[in-house]
């Protein structure tokens, strides 16, 4: 079974083809970073227009990369939510139209389920059950995963997501958009311990997160401490350490609560090397395992959508003729594969 996956939820256009026996056959990605950089963030209307321009050429490029034609495709998966409504509609409309033209099923995919399942694309995929840390620009969640579609929300951010806090703090430090990766790079030059940032909501029980106050703490520290390059690097180091420690503390609590010995981290922030190192050390100490996707599959991509679509299609799920997207779509509302 070969599935074409289309991802257009925000500012990256991803198209991939996944084969259930041969694995990933093609992977094409176009990033809109340069388009939005002048505005310091994603402009939804510009994002939608760029998806219109790029999606079909990327589909053609993916088919050429895999040496396939439309006749070789058994289903078309597209991101149906959550995300920017205009951007989602581009991928959904193109995906549904291609499925109709090619006479194959169309499969709407939950963006965050795509991220959650991205580590399944690796040579050593995790087995169920596990705790998933979904950490990106728009989401920070801890999920108990006992099977595909068997998701229980354990905790989430009550304000800014971790990735959003990274980008906002990077902007305070004068870094270009998107600033999260640049802040992490700057933090490598920082001196540990010069500044101490709080670990929000770790002094109380529960698994929810809050990063808005940490961003404010960073703003106050920057204002009071000057803006020479070493000071900014030290602040970046303190901020990153605080976020990473907070995520690790909450992951440990989630593992203790569930009794699971496997941890999956997914989403754009899961590519952060400090976070990977911290969680790997924690899981080694607990004699457990941590899993994550290669860096290019941590951010938005078509491969994770193609894989998730294949799983759902094999279970009998596909959409009707209507084009429908859900800008807000709780992950735990998805049906279990066995119940579809």
């Amino acid at each position: 079974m070969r599935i074409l996956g289309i991802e257009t939820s925000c500012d990256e256009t991803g198209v991939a083809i996944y084969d259930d026996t041969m694995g990933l056959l093609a992977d094409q990605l176009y990033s809109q970073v340069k388009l939005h950089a002048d505005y310091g963030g994603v402009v939804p209307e510009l994002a939608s227009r760029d998806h219109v321009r790029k999606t079909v050429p990327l589909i053609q490029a993916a088919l050429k990369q895999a040496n396939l034609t439309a006749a070789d495709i058994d289903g078309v998966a597209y991101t149906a939510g959550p995300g920017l409504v205009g951007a989602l509609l581009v991928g959904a409309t193109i995906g549904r139209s291609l499925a109709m033209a090619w006479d194959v099923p169309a499969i709407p995919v939950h963006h965050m389920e795509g991220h959650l399942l991205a580590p399944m694309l690796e040579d050593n995929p995790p087995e169920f059950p596990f705790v998933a840390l979904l950490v990106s620009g728009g989401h920070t969640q801890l999920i108990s995963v006992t099977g595909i579609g068997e998701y229980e929300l354990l905790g989430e951010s009550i304000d800014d997501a971790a990735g959003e806090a990274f980008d906002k703090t990077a902007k305070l430090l004068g870094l270009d958009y998107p600033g999260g990766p640049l802040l992490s790079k700057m933090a490598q030059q920082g001196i540990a311990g010069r500044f101490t940032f709080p670990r929000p909501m770790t002094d109380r029980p529960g698994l929810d997160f809050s990063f808005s106050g940490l961003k404010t703490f960073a703003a106050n520290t920057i204002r009071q401490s000057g803006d020479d390059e070493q000071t900014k690097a030290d602040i970046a180091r303190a901020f990153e350490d605080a976020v990473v420690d907070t995520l690790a503390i909450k992951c440990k609590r989630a593992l203790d609560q569930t009794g699971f010995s496997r941890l999956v981290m997914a989403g754009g922030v899961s590519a952060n090397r400090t976070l990977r190192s911290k969680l790997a050390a924690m899981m080694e100490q607990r004699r457990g395992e941590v899993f994550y996707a290669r860096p290019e599959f941590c951010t938005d991509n078509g491969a994770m959508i193609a894989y998730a679509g294949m799983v759902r299609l094999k279970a009998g799920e596909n959409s009707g003729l209507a084009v429908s997207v859900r800008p807000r779509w709780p992950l735990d509302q998805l049906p279990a594969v066995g119940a579809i």
Side-chain angles (χ1 to χ4, degrees):
M1 178 183 290
R2 297 189 186 100
I3 302 298
L4 175 75
I6 302 172
E7 156 59 23
T8 63
S9 65
C10 190
D11 60 343
E12 283 155 330
T13 312
V15 174
I17 300 172
Y18 189 88
D19 186 290
D20 62 347
T21 58
M22 300 174 64
L24 189 64
L25 302 181
D27 182 36
Q28 298 286 325
L29 183 70
Y30 174 78
S31 174
Q32 300 178 2
V33 165
K34 291 182 180 179
L35 174 66
H36 301 288
D38 290 342
Y39 304 95
V42 177
V43 181
E45 178 63 20
L46 294 180
S48 301
R49 290 175 181 270
D50 221 31
H51 287 309
V52 170
R53 287 189 289 266
K54 299 297 182 181
T55 303
V56 170
L58 286 179
I59 292 170
Q60 294 169 333
L63 288 169
K64 183 177 180 180
Q65 180 185 354
N67 195 27
L68 299 173
T69 68
D72 299 309
I73 301 300
D74 300 304
V76 180
Y78 58 87
T79 303
L84 302 175
V85 63
L88 290 169
L89 281 169
V90 175
T93 302
I94 293 173
R96 177 63 266 181
S97 299
L98 284 178
M100 184 186 302
W102 295 348
D103 194 26
V104 296
I107 313 101
V109 172
H110 192 292
H111 180 74
M112 296 312 294
E113 181 173 57
H115 276 303
L116 189 152
L117 297 179
M120 302 295 185
L121 295 165
E122 303 302 326
D123 293 334
N124 180 35
E127 296 180 1
F128 301 111
F130 54 78
V131 168
L133 171 66
L134 300 182
V135 56
S136 67
H139 298 82
T140 302
Q141 297 177 324
L142 281 167
I143 309 285
S144 168
V145 181
T146 53
I148 294 177
E150 299 175 21
Y151 309 135
E152 178 188 355
L153 179 65
L154 302 175
E156 62 183 338
S157 179
I158 62 174
D159 42 53
D160 289 353
E164 186 179 6
F166 263 100
D167 286 341
K168 289 181 177 179
T169 302
K171 188 173 184 179
L172 293 172
L173 289 167
L175 300 175
D176 293 335
Y177 170 85
L182 297 177
L183 185 150
S184 295
K185 185 176 180 180
M186 176 182 280
Q188 295 175 19
Q189 309 302 318
I191 299 171
R194 179 181 173 189
F195 297 101
T196 301
F197 280 35
R199 276 56 175 164
M201 295 185 71
T202 59
D203 59 348
R204 66 190 77 174
L207 295 172
D208 285 337
F209 302 89
S210 173
F211 293 109
S212 180
L214 196 60
K215 175 197 63 185
T216 304
F217 193 95
N220 292 334
T221 304
I222 293 167
R223 186 171 58 251
Q224 296 166 5
S225 304
D227 61 355
D228 64 276
E229 290 305 309
Q230 186 58 54
T231 295
K232 290 198 291 187
D234 296 343
I235 292 172
R237 173 69 180 270
F239 174 83
E240 183 177 67
D241 286 348
V243 173
V244 168
D245 283 352
T246 299
L247 293 172
I249 290 168
K250 297 288 184 167
C251 285
K252 181 179 182 298
R253 288 184 185 176
L255 291 163
D256 288 342
Q257 179 175 312
T258 59
F260 298 163
S261 60
R262 285 178 287 272
L263 175 67
V264 165
M265 52 188 296
V269 182
S270 68
N272 182 283
R273 288 186 289 181
T274 303
L275 178 60
R276 289 190 176 202
S277 177
K278 181 80 172 183
L279 294 183
M282 182 188 78
M283 294 308 292
E284 182 178 4
Q285 186 177 25
R286 295 175 64 93
R287 297 183 180 179
E289 297 178 279
V290 62
F291 301 86
Y292 39 76
R294 70 197 78 168
E296 58 264 37
F297 291 158
C298 292
T299 52
D300 295 350
N301 63 88
M304 67 183 191
I305 302 304
Y307 180 84
M310 181 203 68
V311 171
R312 291 277 167 182
L313 180 58
K314 278 191 167 185
E317 182 178 4
N318 60 80
S319 71
L321 293 177
V323 175
S324 177
V325 298
R326 298 181 63 177
R328 296 183 182 276
W329 190 1
L331 184 62
D332 55 5
Q333 288 185 2
L334 290 177
V337 157
I340 293 173

